[in-house]
Amino acid sequence: MPRVLIVEDDEAMAAALREGFESEGYEVSIAPDGFAGLRMAVEGSPEVIILDVMLPKKSGLDVC
């Protein structure tokens, strides 16, 4: 099953994205900030990362 990492601090947006991807058969992980997103990206090796630009702790641009 393809893995998607969503790095998004807005809980409602993250939940909506999760719902959409899971309905299409993807395994979804969510990180609430840039530090957690970077760690999860390195450890989990997702096929796709949906990355917000304005994140707490570390910006999406820095994560990228």
Side-chain angles (χ1 to χ4, degrees):
M1 178 179 310
R3 294 179 314 277
V4 174
L5 172 61
I6 299 170
V7 187
E8 172 62 66
D9 59 325
D10 181 316
E11 290 181 27
M13 177 63 74
L17 288 167
R18 170 180 276 192
E19 185 178 313
F21 279 104
E22 286 180 341
S23 73
E24 294 296 325
Y26 291 89
E27 178 183 321
V28 178
S29 299
I30 295 177
D33 61 61
F35 280 130
L38 183 57
R39 180 183 50 79
M40 291 172 74
V42 170
E43 292 175 1
S45 299
E47 282 78 22
V48 175
I49 300 173
I50 307 298
L51 181 62
D52 188 5
V53 174
M54 296 180 65
L55 293 166
K57 299 185 182 178
K58 188 176 199 79
S59 81
L61 294 175
D62 289 338
V63 171
C64 189

